[in-house]
Amino acid sequence: QVNLVESGGGLVQAGDSLRLACAASGRTYAMGWFRQAPGKEREFVVVRSWSGRNIEYADSVKGRFAVSRDDFKNTMYLQMNNLKPEDTAVYYCAAATRNVAGTKSQEYRYWGRGTQVTVSS
């Protein structure tokens, strides 16, 4: 069993930065960040293999967001820079049961409750 807890969301202005954290308990493998905006389907933001050698970003966040992981703390981070109003969403941390997983939410077994990110223009 894996428990995921996100933190770090908030209300910011366009151009600002935020860093989200996902604290995990239990053994984790591939992990990812997903987001869901009001009235829209959940979409992937970034997925990261267990080793970190395979990382894939959504086109909409490439060059602005960066994922990292602190294995000692068993915590994954999402550094979000140059935030835009269209980044407004609930951000979810997810963990798979394999070392490598793709961008589909169905591939991830464990999910956090999410943290709200709101970017004003």
Side-chain angles (χ1 to χ4, degrees), residues 47-86:
V47 294
R48 180 188 184 278
S49 64
W50 174 79
S51 68
R53 287 194 290 268
N54 302 92
I55 297 176
E56 183 173 355
Y57 292 94
D59 288 342
S60 58
V61 306
K62 280 181 182 177
R64 299 188 298 122
F65 290 12
V67 66
S68 62
R69 179 167 173 165
D70 184 329
D71 291 333
F72 181 76
K73 295 182 178 179
N74 205 14
T75 299
M76 180 176 66
Y77 301 95
L78 182 65
Q79 178 67 43
M80 305 187 295
N81 299 324
N82 190 22
L83 283 161
K84 303 176 180 181
E86 51 263 43

